[in-house]
Amino acid sequence: MRVVLAGAHGFGSHHLDRLRRLTHLVRLVGVCDVRPVEEESLAGLGSPEISADLPALIERTGARIAILATPIPTHADLAVAALKAGAHVLVEKPTAATLADFDRMERAAAEAGLACQVGFQSLGSAAVPAVRELIASGAIGRVTGIGVAGAWPRPATYFTRSPWAGRRVLDGVDVVDGALTNPFAHALATALAVAGAEERGAVASVETELFHANDIESDDTSAIRVHLADGPPIVAAVTLCAAARDEPYVVVHGDRGRIRLTYTLDEVQVNDGPVRRYGRTDLLENLVEHLRSDGGLLVPIHRTGAFMEVMEAIRVAPDPLPIAADHQDRSGEGRVLPGIARVVDTCADRLTLFSELGLSWAVPLTVAGTVVADYTTAPDLPLTAAPRPFLHPVRTLGGVIVTESRPDDHPHHLGAGVAVTDLGGRNFWGGRTYVRDQGPAWLDDHGVQRHVSFTARDASGFTETLLWERPGEEPLVREERTVRAAPAARGWALDFAFTLRNLTGGPLSVRSSATKGRVGAGYGGFFWRAPAGSAGLRVFTADAEGEERVRGSRAPWLALAADDWTLLFAQDDDPWFVRVAEYPGVGTAPAWDTPLEFAEELARRVTVVVTDGRLSRQEAAALATGL
């Protein structure tokens, strides 16, 4: 059967090898490429005609099949052209760059009455229907979710191999060359096939968390959650920043066990039982057989509709966020995220996204493309630390870290965030609780600020919903928190706003240690723990200087300055709490010396300007006027 190949370089070389193996079935009669094709690459394949005009090549050679191994954004135009020229098509994955292009290809195939097979080779494996049969038989009970994990290393040259590599858009044309849409596209397509969700309409919505450690515009480390119209959720977590290659896999979770499909090896394991390996049918062979005997196609284009719905969600998602350099190992040929293989395994195991694991790099704040802060949503901490979301590390634009987390002197101090010593009788600060006429004591009264969801999120920040609760008890408040980073006249500015909505049905009190008798310990609100040991620390307002004079004041702004950095705090509601001698920290104090009671909601907002170097009082005052 006569075949033409479009794209003889890159992955096209694999198709040339395949054609050499299948000379008993097919004959290569033409090669379409815009670059010269070296004779040695065609060894054993006769003398195919070389042309840059695919439809003309098909017509002159009488080819019945056109194999398309060209860049992603060319798939649709070339497929439509080949189909109109009368050739059946085998197109490399992903099917197309956009859902509109997919629709155009599917329509062209139907109008021409020709086959269009998509090169998701893993779907040619007998392992996929075997897994579906296991699910249908009840081998693991009711399916509760499907996880996908993949961790591969890639050298820096991988992202410079072609102009479209690592791009979302090139010259105004969608490319969508990301980790999940290209190298791990098989993983996603296999998971959808296992779920029986392959055609258009199968996907209800997609949550995306896209990141890049490499200097690219697309994603090299990604996690998504696919909500199906009918079926369990699929969570896929993959990376091209691993230290070594792990075989990617799909894991089906049931209420009585799990099935693991290592799709690159066609291996299936149920629980801890024996591993069984299945055969795989070559998709070109399958296409030839389909044309000769009208046998079924393994991956007809309509079978990739759900994959394209997910790809479209990734295409229109916010641009991938950068992962700060201090989370990376750059000592080798490629960027490595230490421990990332374990992370993607955990996502597949727990069906969670990166941010839900409490990974700080998974919620970055950026200013002009520079990561200035990381945000941890779910820290792995003992209850006595009052676990809560927090910002750390926070950096100046020059990269100086200006927060500290879990220092030896106060292990419950967590970067920058909200911490209240006593809300409704529960300790959301961490550590010991101050007891009147007794002093600090370890009480079983600690609470947790539990991340619920992000209601908005982009490169500059987020809006988050949290519940403040004591484990095993009803929540006391629901918090709406908005955190944003923006350029400032000097450095950058953090805008941190939060509203606590009372869920108790009655008045709710905020108390500090000072309200219980410890003079000067009015802390509890927004709190920023700065690095201990910072050289040249001093604290000042417009008309006061020093810890004793500033603490408890109601100045509109306050500066904490060191030799290498300055933090300028501004807010209108509460007295300031300050520490310098014991440790460096600044916070607001809504319950400075008397309890604060609220019936429905308590709202606060703080702005912090983060600058490199030391600001003078005059410079700080000038900067504060612009806030």
Side-chain angles (χ1 to χ4, degrees):
M1 191 168 292
R2 293 171 171 246
V3 172
V4 296
L5 171 66
H9 302 89
F11 198 79
S13 63
H14 294 278
H15 283 282
L16 291 173
D17 290 338
R18 172 190 288 179
L19 290 165
R20 272 186 279 270
R21 293 195 303 270
L22 298 178
T23 53
H24 60 292
L25 288 178
V26 295
R27 179 160 67 94
L28 181 65
V29 293
V31 175
C32 179
D33 208 304
V34 296
R35 291 185 289 169
V37 180
E38 297 179 356
E39 288 186 14
E40 53 266 32
S41 67
L42 301 177
L45 292 171
S47 301
E49 181 182 343
I50 311 296
S51 171
D53 187 336
L54 181 61
L57 186 63
I58 292 171
E59 291 173 4
R60 284 196 302 270
T61 61
R64 292 194 65 194
I65 296 174
I67 302 173
L68 309 182
T70 56
I72 300 168
T74 68
H75 286 185
D77 286 346
L78 289 177
V80 170
L83 290 163
K84 287 183 176 179
H88 303 273
V89 168
L90 172 59
V91 57
E92 259 307 319
K93 57 80 189 165
T95 315
T98 71
L99 194 55
D101 279 345
F102 166 84
D103 288 338
R104 189 157 58 95
M105 293 167 64
E106 187 176 34
R107 191 162 52 247
E111 291 172 354
L114 298 171
C116 183
Q117 176 122 288
V118 183
F120 284 109
Q121 191 62 47
S122 63
L123 301 187
S125 173
V128 174
V131 171
R132 293 184 62 168
E133 289 173 9
L134 285 168
I135 293 171
S137 72
I140 57 170
R142 180 179 60 87
V143 174
T144 57
I146 297 174
V148 174
W152 287 342
R154 284 292 185 267
T157 53
Y158 176 82
F159 300 101
T160 58
R161 70 192 189 277
S162 67
W164 56 268
R167 302 294 297 267
R168 282 168 71 79
V169 178
L170 180 62
D171 297 331
V173 178
D174 288 293
V175 176
V176 204
D177 179 41
L180 268 169
T181 55
N182 194 0
F184 287 109
H186 284 98
L188 180 56
T190 303
L192 289 164
V194 165
E198 297 177 274
E199 300 190 21
R200 285 288 302 271
V203 175
S205 63
V206 182
E207 299 173 66
T208 61
E209 292 191 355
L210 311 177
F211 301 92
H212 62 88
N214 288 275
D215 296 326
I216 57 175
E217 68 177 24
S218 194
D219 55 296
D220 56 36
T221 301
S222 311
I224 64 171
R225 179 180 287 116
V226 181
H227 299 277
L228 300 176
D230 181 18
I234 298 172
V235 171
V238 299
T239 184
L240 299 176
C241 300
R245 177 187 170 101
D246 287 344
E247 292 302 325
Y249 60 89
V250 174
V251 56
V252 185
H253 297 267
D255 57 12
R256 296 205 308 270
R258 60 177 57 185
I259 303 168
R260 179 176 173 127
L261 165 58
T262 307
Y263 67 86
T264 52
L265 303 176
D266 304 313
E267 292 181 348
V268 175
Q269 183 179 29
V270 181
N271 297 321
D272 295 323
V275 175
R276 180 175 178 182
R277 176 168 286 189
Y278 291 81
R280 177 182 291 203
T281 300
D282 181 274
L283 296 183
L284 178 57
E285 291 185 69
N286 172 247
L287 178 55
V288 171
E289 180 62 26
H290 167 75
L291 300 181
R292 285 181 169 174
S293 62
D294 203 27
L297 281 180
L298 285 171
V299 196
I301 187 170
H302 67 83
R303 194 181 174 191
T304 67
F307 171 87
M308 285 304 307
E309 289 178 324
V310 178
M311 184 156 174
E312 183 76 359
I314 293 173
R315 182 182 75 86
V316 302
D319 286 340
L321 299 174
I323 298 174
D326 51 16
H327 293 296
Q328 303 180 32
D329 177 357
R330 300 188 178 187
S331 60
E333 295 182 354
R335 304 287 177 87
V336 172
L337 298 174
I340 190 63
R342 183 174 63 255
V343 168
V344 299
D345 283 342
T346 303
C347 289
D349 179 61
R350 301 182 187 176
L351 300 175
T352 55
L353 302 178
F354 294 143
S355 66
E356 295 165 347
L357 294 179
L359 299 166
S360 63
W361 57 257
V363 191
L365 274 64
T366 68
V367 174
T370 297
V371 179
V372 293
D374 297 338
Y375 187 69
T376 299
T377 59
D380 184 12
L381 296 173
L383 183 59
T384 53
R388 56 195 182 273
F390 62 94
L391 291 160
H392 176 76
V394 179
R395 310 167 183 87
T396 68
L397 290 178
V400 179
I401 294 176
V402 292
T403 50
E404 192 164 21
S405 179
R406 304 216 74 199
D408 291 340
D409 55 63
H410 289 78
H412 50 279
H413 286 184
L414 306 176
V418 185
V420 176
T421 55
D422 186 330
L423 176 67
R426 294 292 177 247
N427 180 342
F428 291 94
W429 176 270
R432 294 178 294 177
T433 300
Y434 192 85
V435 179
R436 185 179 296 276
D437 300 326
Q438 178 180 336
W442 284 107
L443 303 181
D444 187 20
D445 64 346
H446 295 87
V448 173
Q449 296 174 29
R450 180 168 60 85
H451 166 84
V452 176
S453 65
F454 289 112
T455 54
R457 186 176 169 197
D458 57 33
S460 67
F462 55 84
T463 299
E464 178 187 23
T465 300
L466 307 96
L467 289 174
W468 293 40
E469 59 194 12
R470 163 83 174 163
E473 298 178 358
E474 291 298 313
L476 295 176
V477 297
R478 182 179 70 251
E479 179 190 348
E480 300 298 326
R481 179 178 299 184
T482 299
V483 179
R484 292 281 166 198
R490 292 277 296 268
W492 65 277
L494 174 74
D495 186 80
F496 194 112
F498 62 96
T499 299
L500 305 182
R501 291 187 169 83
N502 188 349
L503 301 178
T504 66
L508 196 57
S509 293
V510 177
R511 294 180 172 86
S512 68
S513 298
T515 68
K516 302 175 185 179
R518 185 182 176 191
V519 178
Y523 52 84
F526 173 81
F527 181 70
W528 187 297
R529 171 60 195 256
S534 298
L537 276 173
R538 59 186 283 247
V539 63
F540 57 88
T541 63
D543 53 13
E545 181 163 349
E547 180 177 346
E548 295 303 320
R549 294 191 61 197
V550 170
R551 187 171 60 236
S553 72
R554 289 183 174 271
W557 63 266
L558 174 155
L560 180 66
D563 289 349
D564 296 331
W565 51 264
T566 300
L567 302 173
L568 177 68
F569 299 83
Q571 54 99 23
D572 300 322
D573 296 299
D574 303 312
W576 293 107
F577 172 76
V578 178
R579 285 275 193 264
V580 176
E582 183 182 354
Y583 62 82
V586 174
T588 60
W592 172 247
D593 51 14
T594 57
L596 173 65
E597 189 173 274
F598 65 101
E600 295 184 0
E601 66 179 41
L602 174 66
R604 291 293 188 266
R605 180 179 179 181
V606 180
T607 300
V608 186
V609 180
V610 181
T611 72
D612 284 288
R614 180 187 296 278
L615 295 184
S616 67
R617 176 177 279 111
Q618 292 75 20
E619 290 172 321
L623 191 56
T625 60
L627 300 180

